[in-house]
Amino acid sequence: MGRTRNYELGMYNEFEKLNKKLDKANSTILNMSLTINELNFTIKNLQKALIKSEEKNQKLIEENEKLKNQNNKNSNNSSKPSSTNISTPKKKTGSNIYNYRIKTGNKIGGQIGHKGHNLSKKVIEELINNKKIEVRTITHTIKGNSKKAPVIKYRLELEIKPYVEKHIFKYVKSSKEKLSKEFYTDVTYGTSIKTLAIHLGCYNVISYDRLSDFFKVITNNLINISKGTLVNFLYEFGIKSEETINILEKNFLSKTKGYTDETSTKFNGKKMYIRNYSNEEMVIYKAHKNKGHTPLKEDNILPRYLGGIMGDHDTTLYSYGIKNFECNIHLGRYLMELMENIPDTKWPFLMYDLIFRMNNTRKIAMTYGLNKFDKIKIAEYNQEYDEILELAKEENKKIKSSYYRIKKAIPLTNRLVKYKNNHLYFIEDFSVPFDDNLSERDLRIFKNKTKISGGFRSMEAAKYFANTLSIIKTSIKKEITPFNSIKEIFEGKVLFNN
């Protein structure tokens, strides 16, 4: 019996030892499980941090590419004006310190082979014969044979002589005339002074301070016009020109093709926009606080227009007109941007070549009196265009830079697919413009205005300035002296009726 108890006791002790080992193993397993959980949690956090770091790194890479892209932009590969192009010479001296122009080595003045612009005796004599200029004869005696015919020379001069008109208004009971508003004040400025102020202030973009000083200088301090008065001249002209602006709008609506674009400027420190409605014969400017459909509807020109509209990929314009033409010069700049930054991609080079090759061929065809390509040629161009786009879709997938792939190449490819007809109208009808450069030229003067004065003090001033430039620029396009047009409108006439 004693042995049995010892055996059972031994078995029990062994069982206890095993239980303790098991408890210890379970405790170890529990601790290891907790450690594993903590490690898994840490790994997840590290993975999240790594993902965020990779995303941040990718954003920095894209931002870097974006900044490089912006720094590399010029007038050839973007919408930036040519004045922003900088070509720094190796050694800057003299005026080149400021304008960064590279010396050509040419002598100052006219260059050999260029047509001169000196005064012509023939032109002066034509003006005299047509009685367009006053002649004051001055006779000289010089040494020589008295039997020889006298030598005739001309000297062109300008006389500026201020004078005062004294207007006397007599009361007559039978007269129906009343004192006009022009003479409500005792002293007013005449039409010639107002006209000169408008022409120099608006078209030549001379500031009011300098304009006031100009009148003092040319009249030997006799005329001292305040800035406020010069502003009043602009307001008066802007109001008097409104009937003529209505005529211009009717003339624009009667044409089959029109150009429009907009540029930004400022009023009272805030951003605003100037839109042009142009063709080869005229231009109308409109000023607005915002972009989009609302100002277009307020102008009420495009909503009534039944012709084709040329613009720089402003999709807002697609709600108006019977056709919309895309500017291919701007397209060329976007293609040039891709060519310079992702040169391993072939399709931008091929598309650039096709677009400008078609236009050059069109110019040659026009010299032979053609107004469009034949159907076979148009079909060939369309096929080549489509083949380049198919290549673009494949090559875009291989572009390493996500910025140029996602932000540049793919959007431009999609645009060329969707707006193919709008880009290629010019090969189907040679009267369709190839580009929107006419709008850019018409809007350039507002950029000059912004650079010189910073913009406008009010929207009202901007609108009257727009009216004024519409008259001046239209006169120039019609080869009419702007000075005469301004003067006639001040005198109450309505222009451009025919």
Side-chain angles (χ1 to χ4, degrees):
M1 294 295 290
R3 290 182 178 177
T4 304
R5 287 176 183 165
N6 289 336
Y7 176 75
E8 289 177 352
L9 181 61
M11 290 291 289
Y12 179 78
N13 289 335
E14 289 296 323
F15 179 73
E16 283 297 315
K17 287 179 182 179
L18 287 172
N19 278 336
K20 287 180 180 179
K21 287 182 179 180
L22 182 62
D23 289 340
K24 189 176 181 181
N26 286 335
S27 177
T28 303
I29 291 169
L30 179 61
N31 290 332
M32 290 180 68
S33 296
L34 291 172
T35 303
I36 290 168
N37 286 335
E38 288 177 359
L39 289 171
N40 286 335
F41 182 75
T42 303
I43 290 169
K44 286 181 180 179
N45 287 337
L46 288 172
Q47 286 175 336
K48 288 179 180 178
L50 181 61
I51 291 169
K52 286 183 179 179
S53 179
E54 287 177 349
E55 289 176 351
K56 187 176 180 180
N57 188 43
Q58 185 60 36
K59 285 181 180 179
L60 288 172
I61 291 171
E62 290 184 7
E63 188 65 27
N64 184 47
E65 289 173 341
K66 186 177 180 181
L67 290 171
K68 284 171 62 181
N69 174 257
Q70 290 174 349
N71 290 334
N72 292 333
K73 281 187 176 180
N74 54 47
S75 60
N76 294 321
N77 59 21
S78 71
S79 298
K80 292 179 71 175
S82 57
S83 59
T84 61
N85 294 349
I86 296 178
S87 180
T88 309
K90 292 181 180 179
K91 185 178 180 181
K92 302 190 290 289
T93 57
S95 61
N96 287 329
I97 293 173
Y98 306 101
N99 59 30
Y100 295 98
R101 292 178 181 172
I102 299 173
K103 286 188 176 182
T104 62
N106 294 335
K107 292 181 179 179
I108 296 173
Q111 302 301 313
I112 296 173
H114 289 195
K115 186 179 179 181
H117 297 283
N118 55 314
L119 288 171
S120 166
K121 188 174 183 179
K122 181 180 179 182
V123 171
I124 295 298
E125 288 178 342
E126 284 179 359
L127 291 173
I128 295 171
N129 294 333
N130 294 327
K131 297 181 179 179
K132 290 185 177 181
I133 194 168
E134 178 189 348
V135 181
R136 298 178 185 179
T137 303
I138 301 172
T139 304
H140 304 267
T141 57
I142 56 174
K143 186 176 181 180
N145 189 344
S146 59
K147 293 182 180 180
K148 286 185 177 180
V151 177
I152 298 174
K153 303 286 184 178
Y154 297 102
R155 180 162 62 192
L156 197 60
E157 271 287 4
L158 176 67
E159 185 177 69
I160 299 173
K161 185 178 180 181
Y163 64 92
V164 174
E165 293 179 347
K166 184 178 180 180
H167 292 258
I168 301 173
F169 297 90
K170 294 183 178 181
Y171 291 102
V172 177
K173 288 185 178 180
S174 59
S175 177
K176 295 180 181 180
E177 297 294 325
K178 295 181 179 180
L179 187 68
S180 66
K181 289 182 179 180
E182 181 185 356
F183 292 100
Y184 278 6
T185 58
D186 291 336
V187 180
T188 61
Y189 289 99
T191 303
S192 294
I193 291 175
K194 293 178 182 178
T195 300
L196 186 58
I198 289 295
H199 192 284
L200 294 177
C202 295
Y203 183 64
N204 297 102
V205 202
I206 297 176
S207 68
Y208 288 131
D209 283 330
R210 291 185 177 184
L211 196 53
S212 178
D213 185 62
F214 170 79
F215 279 105
K216 278 194 268 186
V217 171
I218 65 170
T219 62
N220 197 24
N221 289 324
L222 291 176
I223 296 178
N224 184 9
I225 307 177
S226 69
K227 290 192 290 183
T229 300
L230 293 170
V231 172
N232 290 338
F233 291 167
L234 174 65
Y235 277 49
E236 180 186 349
F237 185 82
I239 293 169
K240 287 186 174 181
S241 66
E242 285 176 352
E243 286 189 58
T244 298
I245 297 297
N246 291 335
I247 296 295
L248 287 180
E249 290 180 11
K250 290 179 182 177
N251 292 345
F252 181 85
L253 293 173
S254 67
K255 302 300 180 180
T256 58
K257 296 175 186 67
Y259 300 72
T260 185
D261 203 347
E262 63 185 359
T263 189
S264 62
T265 182
K266 291 183 178 180
F267 80 96
N268 199 23
K270 300 175 183 177
K271 201 166 189 178
M272 63 165 290
Y273 301 90
I274 302 291
R275 178 169 287 280
N276 73 298
Y277 301 93
S278 304
N279 56 42
E280 287 78 6
E281 300 174 5
M282 55 166 289
V283 57
I284 307 162
Y285 297 105
K286 297 289 184 179
H288 291 284
K289 291 182 181 179
N290 302 304
K291 304 173 76 172
H293 287 287
T294 300
L296 291 173
K297 290 176 181 177
E298 289 174 357
D299 294 343
N300 198 27
I301 295 176
L302 293 188
R304 296 183 288 157
Y305 188 59
L306 300 176
I309 301 170
M310 165 56 76
D312 174 25
H313 198 56
D314 182 353
T315 54
T316 307
L317 302 177
Y318 279 76
S319 299
Y320 309 97
I322 57 171
K323 285 184 179 180
N324 292 90
F325 314 126
E326 286 283 348
C327 176
N328 286 296
I329 288 292
H330 280 84
L331 171 60
R333 293 171 187 167
Y334 305 140
L335 291 169
M336 182 66 72
E337 181 184 3
L338 296 182
M339 290 157 62
E340 291 178 353
N341 292 285
I342 44 174
D344 292 338
T345 307
K346 294 180 181 178
W347 78 262
F349 293 86
L350 297 173
M351 185 60 76
Y352 187 95
D353 172 73
L354 173 62
I355 294 294
F356 288 92
R357 177 161 37 89
M358 287 190 293
N359 189 43
N360 289 334
T361 308
R362 182 180 83 144
K363 289 177 181 178
I364 295 170
M366 290 170 70
T367 62
Y368 289 94
L370 299 177
N371 57 18
K372 65 178 180 180
F373 291 120
D374 58 44
K375 292 181 179 180
I376 296 174
K377 193 66 177 174
I378 292 173
E380 288 176 357
Y381 281 140
N382 274 276
Q383 183 179 350
E384 187 175 355
Y385 186 99
D386 292 338
E387 288 173 354
I388 294 171
L389 289 181
E390 288 302 316
L391 176 63
K393 292 174 184 177
E394 292 301 317
E395 288 190 334
N396 289 345
K397 298 175 185 177
K398 302 174 185 178
I399 298 174
K400 295 179 182 179
S401 168
S402 60
Y403 172 74
Y404 284 106
R405 183 178 69 255
I406 298 170
K407 300 289 186 180
K408 297 291 181 177
I410 292 175
L412 185 57
T413 302
N414 293 339
R415 167 182 164 176
L416 287 167
V417 172
K418 184 175 181 180
Y419 298 98
K420 172 185 173 181
N421 293 334
N422 308 95
H423 278 290
L424 298 184
Y425 273 130
F426 75 98
I427 64 172
E428 298 176 3
D429 179 359
F430 288 174
S431 67
V432 172
F434 178 73
D435 55 59
D436 194 31
N437 284 357
L438 186 144
S439 283
E440 288 196 348
R441 291 193 297 271
D442 284 341
L443 288 171
R444 196 167 293 146
I445 192 167
F446 282 93
K447 288 297 184 186
N448 296 337
K449 168 70 175 173
T450 305
K451 290 176 183 177
I452 291 170
S453 64
F456 302 91
R457 291 194 174 182
S458 67
M459 279 301 301
E460 193 175 25
K463 289 179 179 179
Y464 290 144
F465 190 90
N467 278 3
T468 303
L469 274 184
S470 299
I471 304 299
I472 293 173
K473 293 283 285 185
T474 298
S475 298
I476 293 171
K477 288 190 177 190
K478 291 181 175 290
E479 297 184 350
I480 299 171
T481 304
F483 190 91
N484 293 338
S485 297
I486 298 168
K487 191 173 183 180
E488 288 178 353
I489 286 178
F490 266 125
E491 292 170 350
K493 296 180 182 179
V494 179
L495 307 182
F496 313 128
N497 278 306
N498 46 21

